[in-house]
């Protein structure tokens, strides 16, 4: 699985994400973002803690202790449908959603120094 490089957070954004190009609904909000009025960018952590192994090392172990991470995602992204399509197109019987989420979150946190 390829992970795109992290994009540093922009000042004043609620979530540190910048799409490749402005979406139609974002064009009208561009002026509002020029002068941030609330919040500050996320703090950058001191670095990945030494006692936390790389995701690949953990996921390649035969036995893994797991914990539940409950999260709701925006319906507009149609993630469930896209995951099913990916599995079908790649002829996968089992798609380890938890492993995908683990890698994505680990990369996101590590890029921010946590």
């Amino acid at each position: 699985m390829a992970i795109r490089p992290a994009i540093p957070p922009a000042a004043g954004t609620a979530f540190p994400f910048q799409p490749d190009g402005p979406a139609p609904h974002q064009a009208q909000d561009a002026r509002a973002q020029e002068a941030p009025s609330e919040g500050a960018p996320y703090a950058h952590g001191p670095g990945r803690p030494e006692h936390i192994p790389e995701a690949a090392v953990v996921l390649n172990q035969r036995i893994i202790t797991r914990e539940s991470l409950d999260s709701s995602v925006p319906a507009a992204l149609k993630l469930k449908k896209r995951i099913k399509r990916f599995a079908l197109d790649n002829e996968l019987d089992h798609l380890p959603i938890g492993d995908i989420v683990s890698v994505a979150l680990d990369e996101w946190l590590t890029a921010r120094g946590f």
Side-chain angles (χ1 to χ4, degrees):
M1 169 165 43
I3 303 292
R4 291 177 21 174
I7 299 170
T13 58
F15 186 75
F17 174 77
Q18 293 177 335
D20 295 334
H25 68 278
Q26 290 175 332
Q28 63 191 10
D29 295 330
R31 288 180 303 250
Q33 291 182 355
E34 288 174 5
S37 60
E38 61 180 298
Y42 287 113
H44 197 284
R48 181 187 189 93
E50 291 180 20
H51 65 280
I52 306 239
E54 295 292 326
V57 172
V58 174
L59 294 174
N60 285 321
Q61 293 176 0
R62 182 173 169 85
I63 299 173
I64 303 172
T65 302
R66 295 189 179 254
E67 62 185 4
S68 178
L69 181 65
D70 186 24
S71 179
S72 59
V73 296
L77 297 177
K78 304 211 181 292
L79 294 173
K80 290 172 85 173
K81 181 178 181 179
R82 291 164 59 195
I83 288 169
K84 288 178 185 177
R85 183 78 254 167
F86 176 84
L88 288 171
D89 288 353
N90 289 281
E91 299 177 3
L92 300 172
D93 293 331
H94 173 70
L95 189 60
I97 303 296
D99 292 355
I100 294 168
V101 170
S102 298
V103 170
L105 283 174
D106 183 61
E107 290 288 329
W108 188 82
L109 288 167
T110 299
R112 283 152 184 80
F114 289 93

